[in-house]
Amino acid sequence: MTRYARQTVLPQVGAAGQARLARAHVLVVGAGGLGGPVLQYLTGAGVGQITLVDGDVVAEHNLHRQPLYRMDQIGEPKARAAATVLAALNPQVQVTPLVGYLDPANAPGLVALVDVVLDCADTFAASLTLSDACRDNGVPLITASALALSGYVAGCCGPAPSLRAVFPDLPERGATCATAGVMGPVVGAVGALQAQMALAVLLGLEPSPLGRLISLDALGWRMGGFGFDAAPEPLRPLAFIGRSQIRADDLLIDLRAEAAPFSPQARHIPPEAMPDLTPPDGRRVVLACATGLRAHNAGQTLQTRWPGEIALLAVHD
């Protein structure tokens, strides 16, 4: 009897499927409420290698939805704290923690090394950056989001359309767990669905979860979803860049009203002033905000009246 006996007895897994999982390498971005169950279930299932990227630290106010961590780990980098817990859960799985944030400068290299990517970061910038990198490398992306009492998980890229095809238009404003709240089991349920989708992709199960979105409404006790296999890709997508990719002649615009400009060269301009902005010819415009939402929407507004190059930047202060 092995630790995987109840898994390998499934005709969809078997010894051959378990061997596929042991050879697999996945990238998990984010070790919070979504990342916790994803990491636990993938580690428990015997996925061979997990690269974990997270730049945050364990905080007490997050523990109600992040039961992966203990009180004595508060203040530790999440990536390292998670790796310690997972090593005790299953020493057969190699977990490589990378303390830092995913950005467009490091995403392509990380994505190119793995079989499946799981987006557990729950920010617009990280999700779109991962979607772009996965689309370019042909790597499946399992992305998810959870807030308050609802959430969704979607299988994108690889042979399926990208996340940009599913959500070509982003909301004007985005709530956060700090402002809208969130129930721990809701995040756990969505994270568990992410893990199941990833295992299905690695095992080659049919029907594939790629090109499917599943939604959870824990207030109305409903689950739903739809297929997006035929969703068209946007014609002029706005891409994010990393700080290291800023050019000397870029026009830097910080859209955050609540913080000082992220660079001495950045101009502080609110999003509502975008229709009146006339950038100089020949300079790329870089729009910056915290999550990428304001930058993306401001970029779309500018794009309708200015044909020049526009890039987006998510600022982690």
Side-chain angles (χ1 to χ4, degrees):
M1 184 72 70
T2 71
R3 68 177 297 141
Y4 308 117
R6 298 296 184 268
Q7 184 167 283
T8 55
V9 74
L10 290 167
Q12 295 90 343
V13 182
Q18 192 60 51
R20 289 180 67 170
L21 294 181
R23 293 192 300 269
H25 184 181
V26 304
L27 170 65
V28 177
V29 179
L34 294 170
V38 160
L39 291 164
Q40 288 173 296
Y41 280 117
L42 295 185
T43 299
V47 172
Q49 293 186 66
I50 299 174
T51 297
L52 171 59
V53 180
D54 194 293
D56 203 359
V57 297
V58 179
E60 184 174 4
H61 63 265
N62 289 328
L63 294 184
H64 81 285
R65 69 184 188 281
Q66 298 177 9
L68 178 67
Y69 305 110
R70 307 182 307 268
M71 287 290 290
D72 62 0
Q73 291 179 309
I74 290 175
E76 291 184 33
K78 284 182 183 177
R80 291 190 192 132
T84 299
V85 175
L86 298 172
L89 174 63
N90 189 352
Q92 297 175 3
V93 175
Q94 178 185 338
V95 180
T96 303
L98 301 179
V99 179
Y101 292 101
L102 178 119
D103 69 16
N106 59 29
L110 291 169
V111 168
L113 299 175
V114 302
D115 302 298
V116 176
V117 175
L118 291 103
D119 167 27
C120 305
D122 209 15
T123 70
F124 295 101
S127 296
L128 293 178
T129 295
L130 283 173
S131 179
D132 291 347
C134 287
R135 178 201 60 212
D136 294 344
N137 285 275
V139 176
L141 169 68
I142 311 299
T143 183
S145 179
L147 191 68
L149 290 164
S150 65
Y152 72 84
V153 55
C156 303
C157 301
S162 73
L163 183 63
R164 291 183 182 273
V166 186
F167 299 114
D169 297 311
L170 300 183
E172 290 186 9
R173 292 178 177 82
T176 66
C177 292
T179 60
V182 65
M183 291 290 287
V186 172
V187 186
V190 174
L193 283 171
Q194 265 191 289
Q196 183 60 32
M197 276 195 177
L199 292 174
V201 170
L202 293 172
L203 292 167
L205 301 187
E206 293 292 341
S208 171
L210 299 177
R212 293 288 306 176
L213 182 146
I214 298 174
S215 61
L216 170 66
D217 173 7
L219 183 61
W221 301 112
R222 294 186 299 266
M223 293 189 73
F226 56 85
F228 55 88
D229 300 77
E233 298 289 343
L235 296 178
R236 294 179 63 197
L238 292 167
F240 284 87
I241 63 171
R243 285 206 190 194
S244 63
Q245 296 171 314
I246 293 175
R247 303 170 187 163
D249 63 341
D250 281 341
L251 175 59
L252 307 181
I253 298 177
D254 196 326
L255 300 166
R256 302 170 303 158
E258 70 280 4
F262 69 93
S263 165
Q265 286 73 44
R267 297 169 56 183
H268 219 167
I269 300 177
E272 57 269 21
M274 278 298 107
D276 300 322
L277 179 67
T278 303
D281 291 338
R283 295 180 67 182
R284 182 175 68 173
V285 175
V286 177
L287 303 170
C289 71
T291 67
L293 179 58
R294 279 178 287 184
H296 182 274
N297 290 338
Q300 285 192 321
T301 298
L302 183 60
Q303 196 176 44
T304 61
R305 50 177 296 274
W306 186 68
E309 187 178 2
I310 303 169
L312 313 178
L313 176 68
V315 180
H316 299 287
D317 285 335

